[in-house]
């Protein structure tokens, strides 16, 4: 299944309280459950004013549907072409 990096602009994201992050995560999981097993949230990185999410999904439209149903901002979707890591250097 294709992997995507989703960029979400969210003013003050890095200052969100743990309870707020929990609520966002619960909303995401509820929407994912509704959408079925073809879309998976891997994890997210929270920075100052953005959240970068890693998802496995069959296509971009499924990611857009998740954002719409969850009320999440969606700034950019990038399909991952390949993954490299330190082992790639060997």
């Amino acid at each position: 299944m294709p992997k995507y990096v989703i960029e979400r602009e969210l003013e003050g994201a890095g200052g969100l309280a743990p309870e707020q992050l929990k609520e966002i995560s619960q909303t995401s999981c509820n929407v994912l459950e509704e959408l079925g097993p073809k879309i998976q949230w891997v994890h997210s990185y929270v920075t100052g004013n953005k959240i970068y999410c890693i998802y496995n999904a069959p296509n971009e439209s499924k990611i857009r549907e998740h954002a719409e149903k969850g009320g999440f901002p969606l700034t950019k979707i990038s399909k991952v072409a390949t993954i490299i890591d330190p082992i790639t250097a060997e």
Side-chain angles (χ1 to χ4, degrees), residues 27-74:
T27 299
S28 180
C29 288
N30 289 339
V31 173
L32 288 169
E33 188 174 318
E34 178 186 328
L35 294 176
K38 297 239 178 197
I39 180 170
Q40 303 165 335
W41 174 29
V42 179
H43 58 261
S44 297
Y45 300 98
V46 180
T47 66
N49 292 314
K50 293 185 181 181
I51 299 178
Y52 297 91
C53 306
I54 310 300
Y55 275 77
N56 296 320
N59 50 53
E60 284 189 25
S61 64
K62 206 52 136 169
I63 291 169
R64 290 184 192 287
E65 183 180 3
H66 172 266
E68 185 178 305
K69 288 185 178 210
F72 302 122
L74 181 59

Side-chain angles (χ1 to χ4, degrees), residues 4-22:
Y4 295 89
V5 177
I6 295 91
E7 180 180 320
R8 305 183 192 283
E9 288 191 30
L10 183 60
E11 187 69 32
L16 291 172
E19 301 82 33
Q20 292 171 297
L21 293 171
K22 181 178 181 178

